[in-house]
Amino acid sequence: MNKKAEIGIICAMQVEIDGYISKMTEKEEITISGIHFYLGTLCNKTVVLALCGIGKVFAAMCAQTMILEFSPDCIINTGVAGTLSEKISIGGTVIATEVIQHDMDTSAIGDPVGLISGINVIELPCSERIIKIIASAAEELKLPYILGKIASGDQFISAKEKKEWIKNTFGASACEMEGAAIGQVCYVNNVNFCVLRAISDGGDESAAFDYPKFVKEASARAVEIMCLALTYL
């Protein structure tokens, strides 16, 4: 296939990708290994969107397939997350400076918690250029945001004890389920990446109630910021 896209955008859920699909023109839908890709024009850029599914395995499958099939210059993961920080709450966004996998743990054999075996790093750095562009878009839209570390794992975080452990162990500002897996794939393929997450819940006992209430609004917030950022990428 090898159809070239300038930018790749990966979302885990339909609610997170719908806003992009509605704005995309000249789009072509392609399904590979059950993952839906949409190639077309978005904000005058050739973009490939992907609906990867929830969790790190689907996210990694999607990112690797996107790189092999569409060769984007950069990949951005957008969607929703739970906050881990007092500095940002529902309605705000976190732009990742680094991503980590909070459920990666080989500490029993002497490794630090979070170390990714094979590449031997804990923190995967996001593209400084993309961070600045997304932050400028949020500022232009006058929307609240912070820069911070985003933690990924195959868990929906909804307990204060777990939330505090992730925050204190890694210094993370938000938690979700895909970003660091996408980051790992981009890291080993030398593809620039970033993660933008709008806050849908507090990552504590209220999360199960807040998430369904705010997920659509938070998803739309991420789309709004990213679509403006695309004009500068």
Side-chain angles (χ1 to χ4, degrees), residues 94-174:
V94 179
I95 303 165
T97 50
E98 307 91 14
V99 291
I100 64 94
Q101 296 179 36
H102 66 77
D103 59 352
M104 190 73 182
D105 186 358
T106 53
S107 59
I109 57 172
D111 294 332
V113 176
L115 185 77
I116 302 170
S117 300
I119 56 175
N120 297 321
V121 297
I122 297 173
E123 299 177 353
L124 298 163
C126 296
S127 163
E128 292 184 6
R129 173 178 174 268
I130 301 173
I131 292 167
K132 289 177 182 177
I133 289 172
I134 297 175
S136 294
E139 289 174 8
E140 188 172 334
L141 292 166
K142 296 181 169 55
L143 297 174
Y145 77 94
I146 62 170
L147 304 182
K149 196 178 300 179
I150 291 182
S152 305
D154 285 322
Q155 302 165 355
F156 180 82
I157 304 303
S158 59
K160 184 177 180 181
E161 182 179 2
K162 186 67 174 182
K163 171 181 176 176
E164 292 299 314
W165 180 83
I166 296 171
K167 179 173 70 172
N168 294 333
T169 303
F170 300 104
S173 297

Side-chain angles (χ1 to χ4, degrees), residues 150-217:
I150 291 182
S152 305
D154 285 322
Q155 302 165 355
F156 180 82
I157 304 303
S158 59
K160 184 177 180 181
E161 182 179 2
K162 186 67 174 182
K163 171 181 176 176
E164 292 299 314
W165 180 83
I166 296 171
K167 179 173 70 172
N168 294 333
T169 303
F170 300 104
S173 297
C175 55
E176 37 86 309
M177 299 177 67
E178 295 84 25
I182 293 165
Q184 182 176 343
V185 172
C186 289
Y187 181 89
V188 300
N189 284 277
N190 295 311
V191 174
N192 288 324
F193 79 96
C194 194
V195 178
L196 167 66
R197 293 285 181 153
I199 300 302
S200 59
D201 60 84
D204 53 19
E205 285 74 10
S206 65
F209 301 98
D210 288 339
Y211 170 81
K213 183 177 180 181
F214 294 108
V215 64
K216 187 173 182 180
E217 177 184 332

Side-chain angles (χ1 to χ4, degrees), residues 1-154:
M1 186 182 301
N2 294 322
K3 296 187 177 183
K4 171 69 177 172
E6 296 173 84
I7 298 161
I9 298 175
I10 298 176
C11 301
M13 301 184 295
Q14 194 71 49
V15 68
E16 295 172 325
I17 201 172
D18 279 342
Y20 295 117
I21 293 173
S22 68
K23 297 175 186 295
M24 179 175 267
T25 59
E26 302 171 334
K27 57 179 173 281
E28 175 186 3
E29 182 176 352
I30 303 153
T31 302
I32 306 171
S33 299
I35 298 171
H36 299 289
F37 295 89
Y38 302 85
L39 181 66
T41 302
L42 188 63
C43 301
N44 296 316
K45 296 288 194 305
T46 303
V47 174
V48 57
L49 306 172
L51 178 63
C52 70
I54 295 169
K56 293 197 302 176
V57 174
F58 276 135
M61 286 173 57
C62 179
Q64 187 63 57
T65 302
M66 180 178 281
I67 290 167
L68 293 175
E69 296 290 344
F70 302 98
S71 304
D73 299 322
C74 64
I75 292 178
I76 301 159
N77 171 226
T78 81
V80 303
T83 185
L84 302 175
S85 172
E86 294 79 16
K87 296 179 181 179
I88 203 75
S89 58
I90 294 170
T93 55
V94 179
I95 303 165
T97 50
E98 307 91 14
V99 291
I100 64 94
Q101 296 179 36
H102 66 77
D103 59 352
M104 190 73 182
D105 186 358
T106 53
S107 59
I109 57 172
D111 294 332
V113 176
L115 185 77
I116 302 170
S117 300
I119 56 175
N120 297 321
V121 297
I122 297 173
E123 299 177 353
L124 298 163
C126 296
S127 163
E128 292 184 6
R129 173 178 174 268
I130 301 173
I131 292 167
K132 289 177 182 177
I133 289 172
I134 297 175
S136 294
E139 289 174 8
E140 188 172 334
L141 292 166
K142 296 181 169 55
L143 297 174
Y145 77 94
I146 62 170
L147 304 182
K149 196 178 300 179
I150 291 182
S152 305
D154 285 322

